[in-house]
């Protein structure tokens, strides 16, 4: 049997099950024609607004990521999200993410080690780092932020250690002025994500790790609209010698390594559905 045949069989199973579950949902909730037409129009508007990547990244990606990498050894991953841009500049030491001369926000130093599952340092490991600024805005998605701001790639030393200077990111709202926002409002949810720093960590002979570090003292840690916060990835900034610092190590799985049973702490933090009455957003990334 060819791989194409295998893919077709799996496609038939997945698509058939999805349709069956939607039909069961309609029957279980006694959906009316009025509700059906409203849902159909909303689906059309999501496509017309180009918000399918936003909707899927916020409400679906965390479930896919959790299932896909649940048994992978090493550090837990997290969703990539909609704000990653490839080809960030390769920086030179001492590493500092590109920023404006008057970049707002508190200075922050992120450091740690990159090792293999066996504990050996991964010399020259590459860390692709991106984050929102102190106003919750991402470069490339906001006209208020210069292109490439707070995006860069840094390398670990021979001992696997890395250190990069940046600024403390802020919580932010996902874009909520379109059909995705109307869905959130209809459900009585909020559009907020806690402050976090994204990373892709890679090294020769090891699996790429896509992850994000969530600041423990941020709002919305226990109520992330994307449900992407993981307990092992919650970091607690410490002030030393007047500088805010985060220390976090990354362990990369060997390519082709055998999977191990996932630990209970590897999953996303279990939180209740966002409660109604939360404040609506002031400015989403990409909005002034």
């Amino acid at each position: 049997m060819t791989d194409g045949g295998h893919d077709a069989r799996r496609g038939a199973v997945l698509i058939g099950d999805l349709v069956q579950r939607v039909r069961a949902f309609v029957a279980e909730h006694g959906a009316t024609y009025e509700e059906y037409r409203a849902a159909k129009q909303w689906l059309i508007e999501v496509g017309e607004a180009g918000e399918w990547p936003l909707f899927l990244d916020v409400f679906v990606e965390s479930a896919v990521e959790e299932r896909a990498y649940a048994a992978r050894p090493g550090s837990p991953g997290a969703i990539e999200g909609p704000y990653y841009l490839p080809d960030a500049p390769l920086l030179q030491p001492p590493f500092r993410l590109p920023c404006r001369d008057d970049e707002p926000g508190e200075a922050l130093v992120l450091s740690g080690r990159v090792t293999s599952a066996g504990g050996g340092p991964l010399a020259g490991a590459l860390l692709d780092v991106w984050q929102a600024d102190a106003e919750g805005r991402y470069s490339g998605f906001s006209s208020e932020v210069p292109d490439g701001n707070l995006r860069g790639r840094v390398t670990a030393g021979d001992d696997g250690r890395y250190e990069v200077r940046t600024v403390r990111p802020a919580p932010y709202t996902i874009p909520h002025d379109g059909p995705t926002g109307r869905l959130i409002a209809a459900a009585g949810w909020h559009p907020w994500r806690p402050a976090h720093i994204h990373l892709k960590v890679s090294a020769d002979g090891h699996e790429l790790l896509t992850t994000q570090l969530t600041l423990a003292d941020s709002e919305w840690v226990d109520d992330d609209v994307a449900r992407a916060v993981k307990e092992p990835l919650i970091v607690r900034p410490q002030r030393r010698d007047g500088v805010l610092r985060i220390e976090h190590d990354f362990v990369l799985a060997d390519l082709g390594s055998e999977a191990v049973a996932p630990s209970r702490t590897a999953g996303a933090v279990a939180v209740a559905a966002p409660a109604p009455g939360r404040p609506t957003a002031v400015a989403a990334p990409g909005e002034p």
Side-chain angles (χ1 to χ4, degrees):
M1 184 64 67
T2 66
D3 290 342
H6 173 79
D7 291 344
R9 290 199 308 273
R10 178 162 174 81
V13 169
L14 294 177
I15 296 169
D17 189 40
L18 175 62
V19 172
Q20 181 180 1
R21 292 188 188 212
V22 171
R23 294 173 66 89
F25 175 87
V26 169
E28 180 181 349
H29 293 280
T32 66
Y33 247 110
E34 181 182 4
E35 291 168 335
Y36 165 73
R37 292 189 181 100
K40 180 179 177 180
Q41 183 59 36
W42 180 83
L43 292 169
I44 293 171
E45 291 174 1
V46 171
E48 291 176 341
E51 287 193 0
W52 278 118
L54 169 67
F55 176 82
L56 293 171
D57 286 349
V58 171
F59 295 109
V60 180
E61 187 184 357
S62 62
V64 176
E65 188 279 330
E66 177 69 13
R67 177 65 184 88
Y69 299 114
R72 180 179 60 188
S75 296
I79 65 172
E80 178 180 290
Y83 299 120
Y84 174 68
L85 294 175
D87 303 321
L90 182 62
L91 307 179
Q92 298 299 316
F95 299 116
R96 178 188 178 94
L97 291 188
C99 62
R100 294 160 284 191
D101 291 339
D102 57 349
E103 186 70 35
E106 185 174 10
L108 173 69
V109 177
L110 173 64
S111 61
R113 294 181 74 226
V114 183
T115 67
S116 67
L122 294 179
L126 188 67
L127 298 94
D128 192 344
V129 188
W130 74 102
Q131 64 169 84
D133 69 4
E135 304 295 330
R137 301 170 301 192
Y138 283 87
S139 62
F141 297 87
S142 171
S143 60
E144 302 296 307
V145 182
D147 288 346
N149 203 61
L150 299 178
R151 296 178 182 272
R153 293 179 294 161
V154 306
T155 52
D158 291 342
D159 56 358
R161 287 202 61 83
Y162 71 92
E163 180 174 289
V164 57
R165 292 183 173 273
T166 181
V167 296
R168 179 188 174 96
Y172 63 83
T173 64
I174 65 168
H176 59 284
D177 58 350
T180 301
R182 292 199 298 276
L183 175 75
I184 292 172
W189 299 343
H190 70 78
W192 287 90
R193 292 219 63 209
H196 56 276
I197 299 173
H198 294 269
L199 303 101
K200 287 179 178 286
V201 188
S202 59
D204 290 344
H206 294 78
E207 290 191 29
L208 170 69
L209 173 68
T210 300
T211 192
Q212 57 184 256
L213 303 178
T214 302
L215 278 61
D217 54 354
S218 170
E219 292 184 280
W220 318 107
V221 170
D222 296 324
D223 200 11
D224 176 17
V225 66
R227 296 174 179 250
V229 176
K230 296 187 179 184
E231 186 64 37
L233 298 174
I234 297 176
V235 293
R236 292 163 175 79
Q238 303 291 325
R239 191 174 304 283
R240 295 198 304 273
D241 300 325
V243 178
L244 197 62
R245 296 180 178 272
I246 292 174
E247 284 271 349
H248 192 84
D249 297 338
F250 297 103
V251 179
L252 302 188
D254 297 339
L255 282 175
S257 62
E258 292 188 18
V260 297
S263 69
R264 294 184 62 186
T265 59
V269 174
V271 296
R278 296 289 192 179
T280 54
V282 287
E287 298 176 348

